[in-house]
Amino acid sequence: QVQLVESGGGSVQAGGPLRLSCAASGRTFSSHSMGWFRQAPGKEREFVAVTLWSGGSTYYADSVKGRFAISRDNAKNTVYLQMNSLKPEDTAVYYCAAGRLVVRGTSAGYDYWGQGTQVTVSS
């Protein structure tokens, strides 16, 4: 069992940065791929970024490539999402998720989800 708790959300002006954290419980963190997803009001949840447990490769949605960076600290059981050059369209609830057999770019294969943290970007 893995429990995930996101933090770091808040309100920020367009162009500003924000860093989200996701703390995981459990001893199997290092063997799980960790992803970030977001859901804006009235829209479906969408993939943002993932760091794979095997090899540490990272992948990003086209909409955030070059602006967001995902990283993980296995010693701290924590995954981060550094968000730079934020835009109003980045406003959403951000979720972290963990899974062993994830399909990159999708929500398939994620077994555990956090409760989400709100990010609001004003113009």
Side-chain angles (χ1 to χ4, degrees), residues 73-116:
D73 185 337
N74 288 338
K76 295 183 178 180
N77 279 10
T78 301
V79 63
Y80 305 97
L81 185 68
Q82 178 66 45
M83 304 185 294
N84 298 323
S85 302
L86 281 161
K87 305 175 181 179
E89 51 263 43
D90 294 319
T91 296
V93 177
Y94 283 72
Y95 300 88
C96 71
R100 292 294 311 276
L101 298 175
V102 305
V103 178
R104 68 178 197 233
T106 78
S107 61
Y110 289 87
D111 304 306
Y112 307 102
W113 293 82
Q115 294 298 308

Side-chain angles (χ1 to χ4, degrees), residues 7-13 15-21 36 67-69 80-87 90-92 94 117-121:
S7 62
S11 297
V12 64
Q13 295 270 32
L18 207 59
R19 189 175 84 154
L20 305 182
S21 300
W36 284 97
R67 300 188 298 122
F68 290 12
Y80 305 97
L81 185 68
Q82 178 66 45
M83 304 185 294
N84 298 323
S85 302
L86 281 161
K87 305 175 181 179
D90 294 319
T91 296
Y94 283 72
T117 185
Q118 176 71 47
V119 171
T120 302
V121 184

